[in-house]
């Protein structure tokens, strides 16, 4: 591993330089910033999505809705006691807020997590990109005000490629140099119009309803090749992106646990003017290549469809499990089974990750302090669909 450090230090890389992003491993952190598993070999990730803070800020129920969301998050955090929190997009209902104080809602988004000093990071959703606010502004605010707990970065960007594409390593112990797992985060971009502050220019990424097909796949490939070179392996990967890939549509009808309220047509990446373009496939294919048929992509998890909280895998997804977050906010639309707000937990364990094919346990965790739909994602999961 000393070799790895030397390679990094001297900037030697095995792949050509790309202009839009760095050609060294971009997520390495030392000291107290280094995330590790606990003494029992566990690392629990809790993912909240679709918080929709700031919705109806000028009416009586608006602020109360946000209070309710914070209470829901607090109950779920108390019940799960996670090591890391992921805010998986639609942190703010950006079309309902004013540009001058829109980012102030982020303080409310993070508050229950910050009160417990839990490290966290974010992806951003279509409602975080409006005339009043955008992904880049949210990232800059988070970095400026939460630098001790936040891990959000922007390795690929800026617009129109999207802002929050990055990865965060978790090590078995402080002494380890090769991560036991990597959390990957991607920006599915897109834009929601409407703003009481009045009309403004429509941003160039307004119609880009998918992870950028030109730069991000190249970034994934470059980073995983560097990992293989420096670490002699590509660690198991947990992937977060707000809008689901279109492959989720194909898996939606499978008889899997969790809620299926938004089917049969989950709103997915790659659509333009209601026509599927296939432009999310370069991103998806980069994940499939990283997986390499070895099952190292543990899951790709999305929000966006509030009434979906299932996981599924099949040959149609190259065996990669696709999961949904459900609905953690009191803002945004509600479906029959998203009335009791929830987060999704991924319970990582070093023994599970060291299996021939790594596995991860996941479940939905509710504000009423119950859990359900616990499954183990791995080679045995939904094997009948492969
Ligand atoms: C907030 O939660 C309370 C208690 O569950 C509920 O009665 C109320 O309708 C909620 N209010 C809003 C605006 O969501
Ligand atoms: C932003 O300003 C509006 C209008 O003054 C106000 O209603 C709202 O509460 C403010 N939001 C935050 C998060 O400070
Ligand atoms: C989408 O449809 C609208 C209205 O039909 C049209 O004005 C617009 O140019 C279309 N956008 C693209 C990118 O094709
Ligand atoms: C808690 O919420 C879940 C999810 O909606 C529901 O299935 C369960 O019955 C609720 N349990 C209690 C004790 O309220």
């Amino acid at each position: 591993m000393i070799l790895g450090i030397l390679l990094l230090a001297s900037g030697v890389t095995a792949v050509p330089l790309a202009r839009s992003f760095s050609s060294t491993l971009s997520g390495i952190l030392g000291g107290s910033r280094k995330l590790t598993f606990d003494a029992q070999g566990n690392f629990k990730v809790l993912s909240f999505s679709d918080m929709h803070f700031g919705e109806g800020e000028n009416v009586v129920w608006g602020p109360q809705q946000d209070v309710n969301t914070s209470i829901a998050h607090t109950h779920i955090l108390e019940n799960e006691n996670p090591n890391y929190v992921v805010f998986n997009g639609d942190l703010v209902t950006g079309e309902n807020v004013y540009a001058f104080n829109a980012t102030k809602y982020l303080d409310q988004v993070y508050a229950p997590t910050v009160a417990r000093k839990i490290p966290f990071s974010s992806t951003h959703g279509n409602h975080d990109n409006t005339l009043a606010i955008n992904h880049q502004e949210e990232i800059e605010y988070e970095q400026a005000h939460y630098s001790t707990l936040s891990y959000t970065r922007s390795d690929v960007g800026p617009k129109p490629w999207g802002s929050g594409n990055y990865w965060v390593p978790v090590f078995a112990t402080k002494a380890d140099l090769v991560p036991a797992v990597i959390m990957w985060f991607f920006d599915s971009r897109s834009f929601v119009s409407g703003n009481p502050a009045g009309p403004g220019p429509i941003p160039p990424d307004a119609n880009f309803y998918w992870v950028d097909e030109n730069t991000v796949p190249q970034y994934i490939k470059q980073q995983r090749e560097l990992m293989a070179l420096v670490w002699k392996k590509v660690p198991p990967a947990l992937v977060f992106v707000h809008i689901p890939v279109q492959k989720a549509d194909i898996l939606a009808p499978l008889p899997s646990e969790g809620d299926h309220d938004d089917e049969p047509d989950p709103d997915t990446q790659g659509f333009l003017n209601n026509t599927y373009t296939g432009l999310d496939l370069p991103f998806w294919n980069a994940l499939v290549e990283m997986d390499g048929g070895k099952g190292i992509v543990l899951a790709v998890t999305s929000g966006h469809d509030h009434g979906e909280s299932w996981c599924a895998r099949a040959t149609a997804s190259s065996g990669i499990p696709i999961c949904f977050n459900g609905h953690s906010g009191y803002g945004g639309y509600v479906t029959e089974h998203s009335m009791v707000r929830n987060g999704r937990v991924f319970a990582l364990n070093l023994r599970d990750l060291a299996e021939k094919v790594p596995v991860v346990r996941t479940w939905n965790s509710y504000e009423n302090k119950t859990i359900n739909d616990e499954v183990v994602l791995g080679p045995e999961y939904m094997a009948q669909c492969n």
Side-chain angles (χ1 to χ4, degrees):
M1 279 313 108
I2 287 165
L3 173 69
I5 289 168
L6 287 176
L7 276 172
L8 280 177
S10 61
V12 176
T13 61
V15 289
L17 294 175
R19 272 195 305 150
S20 58
F21 43 82
S22 158
S23 57
T24 52
L25 283 175
S26 55
I28 304 302
L29 298 161
S32 61
R33 298 287 289 159
K34 193 168 180 178
L35 295 170
T36 60
F37 282 66
D38 69 15
Q40 286 72 47
N42 295 311
F43 189 83
K44 187 191 270 188
V45 183
L46 170 58
S47 176
F48 290 127
S49 82
D50 300 89
M51 282 59 70
H52 285 277
F53 275 86
E55 192 167 285
E57 66 179 7
N58 291 319
V59 289
V60 174
W61 53 261
Q64 182 57 45
Q65 195 166 263
D66 291 345
V67 168
N68 281 7
T69 302
S70 296
I71 293 170
H73 282 209
T74 298
H75 286 166
I76 297 166
L77 288 164
E78 280 169 0
N79 204 31
E80 297 293 349
N81 199 20
N83 301 95
Y84 197 86
V85 169
V86 177
F87 297 100
N88 204 13
D90 282 359
L91 282 59
V92 173
T93 298
E95 67 271 36
N96 287 173
V97 301
Y98 294 102
F100 82 92
N101 69 355
T103 48
K104 293 302 287 174
Y105 283 103
L106 297 176
D107 297 334
Q108 296 180 36
V109 173
Y110 311 138
T113 297
V114 168
R116 285 162 187 76
K117 299 187 169 59
I118 302 170
F120 67 92
S121 62
S122 308
T123 74
H124 302 89
N126 42 315
H127 290 274
D128 296 304
N129 248 349
T130 69
L131 295 170
I133 194 167
N134 62 53
H135 296 187
Q136 186 63 28
E137 287 167 5
E138 289 196 21
I139 290 169
E140 286 171 13
Y141 186 88
E142 183 180 324
Q143 290 177 334
H145 295 85
Y146 296 93
S147 59
T148 55
L149 290 175
S150 164
Y151 285 75
T152 303
R153 292 197 312 281
S154 197
D155 288 353
V156 185
K159 285 180 175 185
W161 306 317
S163 297
N165 297 287
Y166 62 102
W167 54 270
V168 174
V170 190
F171 298 84
T173 69
K174 286 271 187 227
D176 279 286
L177 294 174
V178 178
V181 71
I182 303 274
M183 298 181 284
W184 293 80
F185 304 91
F186 297 103
D187 186 1
S188 49
R189 305 182 296 170
S190 181
F191 174 85
V192 174
S193 200
N195 171 25
I202 302 293
D205 56 355
N207 267 323
F208 299 171
Y209 214 70
W210 55 88
V211 175
D212 180 63
E213 75 278 21
N214 295 311
T215 55
V216 177
Q218 215 186 319
Y219 163 76
I220 295 170
K221 181 169 188 287
Q222 186 196 50
Q223 292 294 306
R224 78 166 160 79
E225 286 178 354
L226 279 170
M227 289 172 187
L229 180 75
V230 175
W231 297 332
K232 307 290 175 259
K233 67 180 280 198
V234 180
L238 205 50
V239 180
F240 297 90
V241 61
H242 178 69
I243 303 176
V245 291
Q246 192 262 349
K247 295 285 180 190
D249 234 337
I250 298 158
L251 302 191
L254 294 175
S256 49
E257 292 184 72
D259 299 329
H260 292 254
D261 290 354
D262 282 336
E263 288 170 23
D265 185 24
D267 203 356
T268 63
Q269 288 187 39
F271 281 84
L272 193 58
N273 276 352
N274 296 318
T275 307
Y276 181 57
T277 61
L279 286 169
D280 65 330
L281 285 176
F283 163 61
W284 174 257
N285 289 338
L287 296 179
V288 171
E289 276 172 35
M290 176 155 72
D291 185 68
K294 296 195 286 283
I296 61 171
V297 179
L298 299 166
V300 178
T301 301
S302 295
H304 194 57
D305 297 313
H306 300 178
E308 308 278 71
S309 63
W310 47 271
C311 294
R313 72 187 280 260
T315 47
S317 66
S318 303
I320 296 175
I322 290 177
C323 293
F324 281 87
N325 266 115
H327 188 191
S328 82
Y330 273 70
Y333 74 93
V334 177
T335 68
E336 185 187 353
H337 296 98
S338 70
M339 301 286 286
V340 183
R341 272 49 169 194
N342 78 290
R344 172 171 287 283
V345 172
F346 290 95
L348 296 157
N349 174 275
L350 291 174
R351 281 184 311 280
D352 294 344
L353 294 172
E355 296 275 333
K356 194 152 162 282
V357 180
V359 305
V360 63
R361 277 193 307 134
T362 183
W363 59 83
N364 292 317
S365 187
Y366 291 87
E367 61 179 320
N368 66 10
K369 300 200 173 181
T370 67
I371 70 165
N372 66 19
D373 305 322
E374 182 173 353
V375 292
V376 178
L377 307 178
E380 308 305 319
Y381 178 63
M382 294 183 74
Q384 73 282 7
C385 295
N386 276 280

